Amino acid sequence: MATRTAAANLTVRRSVVVISDWVDGPFDAEVQQDTDRLPAHAHDPASQPWTGKDSENEAETAIEVAGGYLERLPLALIAAGIVDQAEIWHHWRGDDEPPFHRDSAVLARRAFRLDHHRAPFASTEMASFVRTFGAPHILVVLGLGVAPDLLALCANSIILYNSIDAPSLRVPPEVSEHFDLVLTGAQWQSDEVEARHPGMPTAILPVGPEFAAIDQFRPLGTPKDLDLIYVAAAQPYKRHDILFDALARLPRDVRALCVFGYGEDADMLRDRARDQNLSIEFVGPPGVPIDEVNRLMNRAKFGVVCGIDDGAPAILTEYMLAGLPVLANAELRCGLQFILPETGMIASTNGFADAILTMRETTANFRPRDAVLERWTWTHSVSRLAQIIEQIHDAKQ
């Protein structure tokens, strides 16, 4: 861990790093880093990690827990007083690299060049950075993971993992054996972790829906000119076909909106809606800002989640916080625990059309926002997580 700097007004800060499996930058088939060079941002004193003003010298500032699933967990840890600073790291292709970027006084972003294009991802730059500046107190690994060598450098950190997808562990055993805690989206995922690593702690605490931001999505009281909305990437695993098949069986006065942040199926889905004369509006890709997504949600009476082989989507509680009950596919593998009598309904693929009509007529019977505020906003989830982190910390001493 980094030591106190020579400057009297700087001190080591408790820190959390989230490493996403996002890879960006121009594709370079010859990517290979064989040296221990540091990324350019490591040489800028203003961007060096784990330091800042002494807490007794700075005014207390309220931390807003907002953003996507990458931001909300680390910001919740800061707001709860578990750590002081957070960074989000991702991997970069090509010779250049994006500069260090600070979102706020407590949240920053860095990119590190890849050694190769295979997952779990390896970056000599990232490993050199940790050797130079020390490991964070808490390391959160998401998705396709990182090389075991990096995790070994962070052996004294508390290492959390969440796959953000239906497979409970999207990494090989030589990576997952380094985890101190796996956050899962359903009991069957926890059982899979136990089968691979007996005794490894798990918690059904999916990052997306559990660490919901209280007012990021909210009712606006605006007119509802649509029946339903589906906010999901235009990708096959989101199973838009289930929604479209249902709409094809229903009267054309059932109106829907599909919002795509990204995805390769957008044009195909637009073509199908036109060819079948389905009453669907489309927005994106590219995605729109969160406030605009909230406005679009408020046009609808309820939200749908059609996926099967999907993790526990953050959109489950985001719909609910906007005041929308949720119709979810009964085969959704992670996240059905969020569908309660007061938050929505589940329906089989074959029963989706009938359920849409039922939801359209009964939306006033649900109280989804109240249910989320009582159970799943970040304040509830970080309290549970803090207790587990404390237990792991004590066990590692």
Side-chain angles (χ1 to χ4, degrees):
M1 190 62 63
T3 57
R4 187 177 178 88
T5 67
N9 67 329
L10 295 181
T11 185
V12 173
R13 310 300 300 276
R14 296 168 299 166
S15 53
V16 58
V17 163
V18 176
I19 304 181
S20 78
D21 61 4
W22 178 251
V23 176
D24 200 3
F27 182 79
D28 181 355
E30 303 300 323
V31 164
Q32 184 67 47
Q33 302 294 338
D34 294 322
T35 67
D36 285 339
R37 71 175 179 178
L38 286 165
H41 54 72
H43 301 289
D44 180 0
S47 75
Q48 290 178 2
W50 329 144
T51 59
K53 292 181 179 180
D54 285 336
S55 58
E56 63 265 25
N57 293 332
E58 55 182 8
E60 289 190 10
T61 303
I63 302 300
E64 181 184 6
V65 178
Y69 67 85
L70 286 177
E71 294 86 17
R72 292 198 306 267
L73 173 58
L75 287 172
L77 292 171
I78 295 171
I82 298 168
V83 296
D84 304 302
Q85 291 186 341
E87 295 195 357
I88 295 171
W89 294 358
H90 73 273
H91 296 92
W92 185 261
R93 296 182 294 243
D95 290 333
D96 62 342
E97 65 183 51
F100 171 86
H101 174 73
R102 187 171 291 284
D103 287 17
S104 68
V106 295
L107 178 63
R109 300 174 191 269
R110 301 177 191 272
F112 298 85
R113 293 186 186 90
L114 282 168
D115 290 356
H116 53 70
H117 296 295
R118 300 181 304 276
F121 300 114
S123 169
T124 301
E125 282 193 349
M126 191 179 288
S128 297
F129 188 87
V130 172
R131 288 192 190 97
T132 301
F133 296 103
H137 293 77
I138 299 174
L139 177 64
V140 181
V141 179
L142 301 176
L144 297 172
V146 293
D149 291 351
L150 180 76
L151 299 179
L153 291 173
C154 299
N156 292 328
S157 305
I158 296 172
I159 303 177
L160 282 60
Y161 174 78
N162 188 207
S163 81
I164 316 290
D165 209 337
S168 54
L169 293 163
R170 297 165 66 198
V171 296
E174 60 267 26
V175 172
S176 56
E177 68 183 5
H178 292 273
F179 300 154
D180 296 304
L181 172 67
V182 177
L183 302 178
T184 65
Q187 184 58 50
W188 69 266
Q189 285 191 325
S190 296
D191 294 342
E192 283 193 350
V193 175
E194 173 66 21
R196 182 190 287 191
H197 299 294
M200 178 172 284
T202 62
I204 302 175
L205 205 64
V207 169
E210 284 276 1
F211 287 83
I214 295 171
D215 291 317
Q216 186 165 269
F217 294 93
R218 61 203 182 278
L220 298 178
T222 50
K224 294 186 177 293
D225 61 323
L226 300 167
D227 292 303
L228 66 93
I229 183 172
Y230 192 21
V231 182
Q235 293 188 308
Y237 80 102
K238 290 298 185 180
R239 299 302 306 269
H240 289 81
D241 60 297
I242 293 172
L243 173 62
F244 282 38
D245 287 347
L247 292 174
R249 295 169 50 196
L250 293 172
R252 294 307 187 260
D253 68 343
V254 177
R255 301 189 61 202
L257 171 64
C258 288
V259 180
F260 306 136
Y262 58 92
E264 63 274 16
D265 284 356
D267 289 342
M268 180 270 289
L269 293 170
R270 282 183 163 92
D271 290 344
R272 178 177 173 183
R274 183 195 64 240
D275 293 344
Q276 292 188 284
N277 193 32
L278 302 180
S279 301
I280 306 176
E281 290 184 34
F282 295 91
V283 173
V288 295
I290 288 172
D291 282 350
E292 176 63 8
V293 176
N294 185 67
R295 188 190 70 79
L296 293 169
M297 283 185 186
N298 272 268
R299 291 180 58 194
K301 296 177 181 177
F302 61 96
V304 298
V305 172
C306 303
I308 297 174
D309 293 320
D310 197 355
I315 200 68
L316 285 164
T317 52
E318 291 171 348
Y319 284 143
M320 296 172 190
L321 285 168
L324 278 62
V326 178
L327 171 61
N329 192 327
E331 297 178 73
L332 178 66
R333 299 186 69 196
C334 300
L336 289 182
Q337 66 267 30
F338 298 98
I339 308 299
L340 304 175
E342 58 265 48
T343 64
M345 291 175 52
I346 63 172
S348 67
T349 296
N350 292 335
F352 223 71
D354 290 339
I356 286 173
L357 293 180
T358 300
M359 289 286 288
R360 182 164 76 159
E361 300 304 320
T362 62
T363 51
N365 298 340
F366 300 97
R367 54 178 199 92
R369 182 173 173 84
D370 289 344
V372 175
L373 294 177
E374 291 167 3
R375 296 171 175 86
W376 301 308
T377 53
W378 69 265
T379 51
H380 300 286
S381 300
V382 80
S383 178
R384 287 181 56 201
L385 183 58
Q387 296 177 31
I388 302 170
I389 287 174
E390 184 176 2
Q391 294 167 1
I392 294 171
H393 176 269
D394 292 346
K396 293 187 77 154
Q397 296 308 302

